[in-house]
Amino acid sequence: MATEQTQRAGSAGPRDEEGDPVARGRREGAGDEGDPVARAWREGAGDEGDPVARAWRDLVAAARRSVADGLVVGTSGNVSVRVGDLVLVTPSGVPYDRLGPAETTGVDLDGRQVLGGLTPTSELPMHLAVYRDTDAGAVVHTHAVHATAVSTLVDRLPLVHYMAAAMGGRIRTAPYATYGSQELAENVRRALRDRTGCLLQNHGTLTYGDTLDQAYDRTAQLEWMCRLWLTASAVPGRAPALLSDAQLEAAAQQLRGYGQQG
């Protein structure tokens, strides 16, 4: 959440970079020449035999990408990846450019912290609800601006594009509830029934996938569809043409054979 930037600040480690050369070096991208461990981690070396280290590196890369792509501001979103019975999650209130191997944070499927010393994201209940209910391998939550705007207007994203079929059909909006609450987690669980993405009213988006890349791609597609609908709806005196359920089902059939096969 946006408030996670200040929430539990003490758990995020030192903030005074003048007295914290490791944090300063990470932020500035400096020091790799004299720190072969940091350099190797940044380059993805040395973790081929360690699925947890590899998954954490990919999680941090996705979290940083969400900022670069404008899907979140600061630490307002969160990302998780499942490795067996372990769920790696972004920690609460820690800027993503400060995350390295030492900040690895993980919980079990009951939410008990089993890895790391940083407090997990406050949205942990929402992530765990998805893992308990589905076979998700990764979950991405953002505060993407166009999708959040749409979440304040409709209870389902209008069928403005056939890519809704790639997420199971009409994208629902989970009713508003306080961030980090079990109520919100339950609202999201219901909104995701037979879907792999949803909007969160006055809040943002959540998508999941078999892999982190797939979950992230669905997040980007959802934001794009919301931007498309808002753009078309803004034309004075006109209303966007929408797809029928039959047209969406035909697109879904076509998408099942999309891409390289075999």
Side-chain angles (χ1 to χ4, degrees), residues 65-84:
R65 181 182 172 192
S66 70
V67 176
D69 289 350
L71 298 176
V72 304
V73 177
T75 61
S76 60
N78 27 78
V79 181
S80 67
V81 176
R82 181 172 177 175
V83 183

Side-chain angles (χ1 to χ4, degrees), residues 154 156-162 170 225 228-230 232-233 239-248:
V154 297
R156 294 188 181 193
L157 174 63
L159 287 178
V160 71
H161 198 274
Y162 65 81
R170 295 173 185 263
M225 284 190 289
L228 174 63
W229 181 70
L230 289 173
S233 299
L242 301 177
L243 301 177
S244 67
D245 288 337
Q247 288 172 322
L248 189 70

Side-chain angles (χ1 to χ4, degrees), residues 177-223:
T178 304
Y179 80 89
S181 66
Q182 288 293 341
E183 181 184 5
L184 177 59
E186 179 60 21
N187 291 349
V188 167
R189 189 186 67 80
R190 287 195 295 266
L192 286 175
R193 188 180 67 254
D194 301 321
R195 303 290 186 270
T196 55
C198 69
L199 302 175
L200 284 62
Q201 186 179 33
N202 296 86
H203 186 155
T205 68
L206 184 140
T207 60
Y208 72 87
D210 296 335
T211 65
L212 185 54
D213 284 345
Q214 187 180 61
Y216 193 93
D217 181 65
R218 286 170 175 165
T219 293
Q221 290 283 358
L222 180 52
E223 168 67 355

Side-chain angles (χ1 to χ4, degrees), residues 7-247:
Q7 185 181 6
R8 302 187 188 96
S11 69
R15 293 299 182 118
D16 180 2
E17 292 188 353
E18 294 305 314
D20 185 2
V22 173
R24 185 171 65 252
R26 284 183 183 143
R27 183 175 299 277
E28 297 172 352
D32 277 2
E33 293 77 5
D35 186 350
V37 174
R39 185 172 65 253
W41 183 79
R42 187 185 298 268
E43 296 171 352
D47 59 17
E48 292 82 357
D50 187 344
V52 172
R54 185 168 60 249
W56 177 252
R57 189 195 74 232
D58 293 345
L59 178 151
V60 171
R64 291 174 179 170
R65 181 182 172 192
S66 70
V67 176
D69 289 350
L71 298 176
V72 304
V73 177
T75 61
S76 60
N78 27 78
V79 181
S80 67
V81 176
R82 181 172 177 175
V83 183
D85 292 332
L86 174 69
V87 177
L88 300 174
V89 295
T90 47
S92 176
V94 182
Y96 299 140
D97 58 1
R98 290 175 58 94
L99 297 178
E103 287 71 42
T104 305
T105 305
V107 301
D108 64 19
L109 292 172
D110 293 321
R112 292 185 292 265
Q113 187 158 358
V114 296
L115 190 61
L118 297 178
T119 302
T121 173
S122 60
E123 295 288 18
L124 183 60
M126 191 165 63
H127 287 253
L128 293 178
V130 175
Y131 290 116
R132 291 176 188 136
D133 237 32
T134 72
D135 57 358
V139 175
V140 177
H141 166 53
T142 77
H143 291 183
V145 63
H146 298 95
T148 304
V150 170
S151 80
T152 70
L153 299 172
V154 297
D155 61 2
R156 294 188 181 193
L157 174 63
L159 287 178
V160 71
H161 198 274
Y162 65 81
M163 281 305 293
M167 282 182 272
R170 295 173 185 263
I171 305 300
R172 306 182 185 99
T173 301
Y176 181 80
T178 304
Y179 80 89
S181 66
Q182 288 293 341
E183 181 184 5
L184 177 59
E186 179 60 21
N187 291 349
V188 167
R189 189 186 67 80
R190 287 195 295 266
L192 286 175
R193 188 180 67 254
D194 301 321
R195 303 290 186 270
T196 55
C198 69
L199 302 175
L200 284 62
Q201 186 179 33
N202 296 86
H203 186 155
T205 68
L206 184 140
T207 60
Y208 72 87
D210 296 335
T211 65
L212 185 54
D213 284 345
Q214 187 180 61
Y216 193 93
D217 181 65
R218 286 170 175 165
T219 293
Q221 290 283 358
L222 180 52
E223 168 67 355
W224 180 84
M225 284 190 289
C226 288
R227 183 178 182 182
L228 174 63
W229 181 70
L230 289 173
T231 301
S233 299
V235 177
R238 301 295 299 273
L242 301 177
L243 301 177
S244 67
D245 288 337
Q247 288 172 322

